[in-house]
């Protein structure tokens, strides 16, 4: 059942938008920051020839670099200052989050409140810089070696100075992106890092749409296929929007307490459990693991003899792990299901939740506090995760199947579509919250004015 706040939020009028001056300022700040991000994606890395770089990147399509290039808005393809994007920060934050759920020292920091979270954020930034240095060095080295073996030299002056300059530039670009994301979160609307990723994905939509409709005009793509893609994308967006807001609410009851009139009243609340607790982490991990062998073989180039045992093994893996292959889709689905249960077990601790309920005097009706509550929460969460894993598998595998059947490269894969819809829904929810606060502020002002008149 919807709460009063939900009912009030659904009845909000956009006419109040023009009166919310602070909200408009936040939205304009967010738009300007995202425009700066798009400009940075076209600033080339020092010492790189951008004309030859496009030919080199075409030879490595289909690997894990395509996934990172999508999240960076094409910055990796152009080898710009922000070629690494925010993926090092995402990886570092996931590692720190998992470690805080498994390591006792980090777990104690997590329970310290704002001070502990600030310390964990500091560790995340240290990890981001470390990953940027490692990835930047291998990226610079790969540009030198791979370009030379292909007969194309993307690096103008290879050597140690180029590698140092590339690493410094890439680390600075990623940290600048993180600073822009923090500014968006503090002074704009929505989560800054998530909005940067979404802006990079959405920026590729015009080129995809123009290519698809150009193929329909020339007859390369049938009109039925184009209509089918549009219907599939719209249907998946609606389905994702519904599932991401779906919750299993557990009734929490607190002991009866005496009121001012001497009556005994029991407080009730709900513990919301999301159907998709793991978010978009399972598809990202599954895609990265499956595309890793293809990426390694592409960067290895001619250094591996194709007639050798290692070369034939890599070629066999590349053939069966290509997009659209049945084995690839089966492994993709299996890894998504595995990471759904694994990451849910990491981020949600039934024992800790049950202990907190017991300390605050809350209990689930019919369930004894303590161990029985923990077992019941684990029981419910496991069955919810089954539904969430099936939902993620359908959303991610269906576009892969459509690509395999039609041969059209769909830039909005399952992972990209999940990110775009999740960030959009979260941003709209924050806009509604600001409008709701503005509406409450008007009601308080009117009440004060009426009180003065009396």
């Amino acid at each position: 059942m919807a709460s009063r706040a939900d009912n009030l939020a659904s009845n909000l009028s956009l006419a109040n938008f023009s009166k919310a001056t602070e909200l408009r300022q936040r939205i304009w700040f967010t738009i300007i920051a995202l425009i700066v991000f798009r400009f940075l994606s076209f600033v080339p890395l020092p010492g790189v020839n951008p004309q030859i770089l496009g030919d080199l990147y075409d030879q490595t399509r289909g690997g894990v670099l395509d996934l990172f290039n999508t999240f960076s808005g094409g910055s990796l393809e152009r080898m710009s200052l922000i070629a690494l994007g925010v993926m090092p920060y995402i990886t570092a934050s996931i590692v720190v989050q998992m470690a805080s759920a498994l390591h006792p020292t980090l777990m104690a920091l997590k329970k310290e409140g704002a001070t502990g979270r600030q310390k964990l954020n500091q560790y995340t930034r240290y990890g981001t810089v470390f990953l940027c240095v490692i990835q930047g060095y291998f990226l610079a080295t790969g540009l030198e070696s791979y370009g030379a073996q292909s007969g194309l030299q993307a690096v103008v002056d290879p050597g140690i100075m180029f590698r140092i300059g590339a690493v410094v530039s890439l680390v600075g670009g990623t940290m600048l992106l993180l600073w822009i994301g923090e500014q968006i979160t503090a002074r704009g609307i929505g989560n800054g890092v998530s909005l940067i990723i979404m802006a990079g994905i959405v920026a590729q939509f015009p080129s995809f749409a123009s290519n698809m409709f150009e193929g329909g005009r020339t007859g390369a793509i049938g009109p039925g296929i184009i209509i089918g893609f549009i219907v599939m994308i719209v249907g998946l967006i609606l389905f994702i929007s519904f599932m991401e807001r779906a919750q299993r609410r557990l009734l929490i009851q607190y002991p009866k307490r005496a009121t001012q009139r001497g009556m005994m009243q029991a407080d009730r609340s709900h513990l919301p459990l999301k159907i998709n607790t793991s978010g978009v982490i399972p598809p990202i991990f599954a895609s990265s693991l499956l595309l890793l062998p293809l990426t390694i073989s592409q960067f290895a180039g001619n250094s591996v003899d194709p007639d050798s045992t290692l070369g034939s093994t890599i070629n066999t893996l590349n053939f069966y792990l290509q997009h659209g292959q049945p084995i690839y889709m089966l492994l993709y689905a299996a890894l998504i299901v595995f990471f759904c249960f694994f990451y849910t077990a990491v981020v949600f601790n039934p024992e800790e939740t049950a202990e907190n309920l017991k300390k605050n005097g809350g209990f689930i009706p019919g369930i004894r506090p303590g161990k029985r509550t923990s077992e019941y929460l684990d029981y419910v969460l496991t069955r919810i995760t089954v539904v969430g894993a099936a939902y993620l598998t359908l959303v991610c595998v269906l576009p892969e199947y459509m690509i395999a059947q039609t041969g059209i490269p769909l830039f909005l894969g399952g992972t990209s579509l999940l990110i775009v819809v999740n960030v959009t829904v979260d941003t709209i929810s924050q806009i509604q919250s600001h409008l709701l606060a503005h509406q409450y502020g008007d009601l308080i002002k009117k009440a004060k004015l009426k009180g003065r008149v009396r």
Side-chain angles (χ1 to χ4, degrees), residues 303-326:
S303 60
V304 179
D305 186 6
D307 296 329
S308 63
T309 304
L310 179 60
S312 60
T313 302
I314 292 177
N315 290 332
T316 303
L317 285 175
N318 291 341
F319 176 76
Y320 287 109
L321 294 182
Q322 288 180 353
H323 284 285
Q325 293 293 332

Side-chain angles (χ1 to χ4, degrees), residues 256-267:
K256 293 183 178 181
R257 298 174 182 176
T259 61
Q260 293 180 350
R261 299 181 179 179
M263 300 175 60
M264 302 298 290
Q265 183 178 2
D267 294 332

Side-chain angles (χ1 to χ4, degrees), residues 127-402:
T128 302
V129 174
F130 175 76
L131 289 176
C132 285
V133 171
I134 299 298
Q135 294 179 6
Y137 179 78
F138 279 105
L139 193 60
T141 308
L143 276 176
E144 292 177 345
S145 60
Y146 187 75
Q149 293 170 359
S150 303
L152 299 173
Q153 191 63 50
V155 180
V156 177
D157 187 16
I160 186 64
M161 294 305 298
F162 166 74
R163 298 177 188 177
I164 294 176
V167 170
V168 173
S169 301
L170 291 172
V171 171
T174 299
M175 300 311 293
L176 177 60
L177 273 189
L178 290 184
W179 181 80
I180 293 175
E182 290 177 354
Q183 295 302 312
I184 293 175
T185 303
R187 303 171 60 181
I189 287 291
N191 184 280
V193 175
S194 301
L195 281 173
I196 287 174
I197 296 176
M198 188 194 74
I201 296 172
V202 174
Q204 302 184 45
F205 176 76
S207 60
F208 163 75
S210 62
N211 293 335
M212 186 174 65
F213 287 115
E214 179 64 21
R217 188 185 66 82
T218 58
I221 304 175
I225 296 178
I226 295 177
I227 296 175
F229 266 112
I230 295 174
V231 171
M232 182 193 71
I233 292 175
V234 174
L236 285 178
I237 289 175
L238 295 176
F239 182 58
I240 293 172
S241 301
F242 173 78
M243 293 298 294
E244 289 297 327
R245 296 181 67 87
Q247 296 177 347
R248 170 71 163 89
R249 293 186 175 183
L250 297 179
L251 178 63
I252 304 297
Q253 191 167 349
Y254 293 91
K256 293 183 178 181
R257 298 174 182 176
T259 61
Q260 293 180 350
R261 299 181 179 179
M263 300 175 60
M264 302 298 290
Q265 183 178 2
D267 294 332
R268 290 185 176 183
S269 64
H270 291 88
L271 177 64
L273 299 177
K274 288 189 64 176
I275 298 297
N276 181 25
T277 309
S278 56
V280 297
I281 300 303
I284 293 177
F285 277 14
S287 301
S288 302
L289 286 178
L290 285 177
L291 296 176
L292 190 60
L294 180 60
T295 306
I296 293 175
S297 65
Q298 287 171 343
F299 272 95
N302 299 326
S303 60
V304 179
D305 186 6
D307 296 329
S308 63
T309 304
L310 179 60
S312 60
T313 302
I314 292 177
N315 290 332
T316 303
L317 285 175
N318 291 341
F319 176 76
Y320 287 109
L321 294 182
Q322 288 180 353
H323 284 285
Q325 293 293 332
I327 294 181
Y328 171 82
M329 288 189 285
L330 287 175
L331 290 176
Y332 190 32
L335 286 175
I336 288 175
V337 173
F338 168 76
F339 282 118
C340 273
F341 283 92
F342 176 77
Y343 195 71
T344 300
V346 169
V347 299
F348 187 88
N349 190 349
E351 296 180 357
E352 183 179 352
T353 305
E355 187 66 24
N356 291 334
L357 287 175
K358 185 177 180 180
K359 289 180 180 179
N360 295 323
F363 63 93
I364 301 175
I367 307 297
R368 184 175 298 175
K371 184 178 179 180
R372 293 297 302 273
T373 300
S374 173
E375 293 175 353
Y376 179 74
L377 290 175
D378 184 67
Y379 172 84
V380 174
L381 190 65
T382 302
R383 278 144 186 80
I384 288 176
T385 308
V386 171
V387 180
Y391 143 70
L392 282 181
T393 303
L394 176 63
V395 169
C396 295
V397 173
L398 182 59
E400 294 288 341
Y401 177 78
M402 293 292 292

Side-chain angles (χ1 to χ4, degrees), residues 395-396 399-400 403 410-418:
V395 169
C396 295
E400 294 288 341
I403 294 172
L410 183 63
F411 90 101
L412 273 181
T415 308
S416 304
L417 202 60
L418 280 169

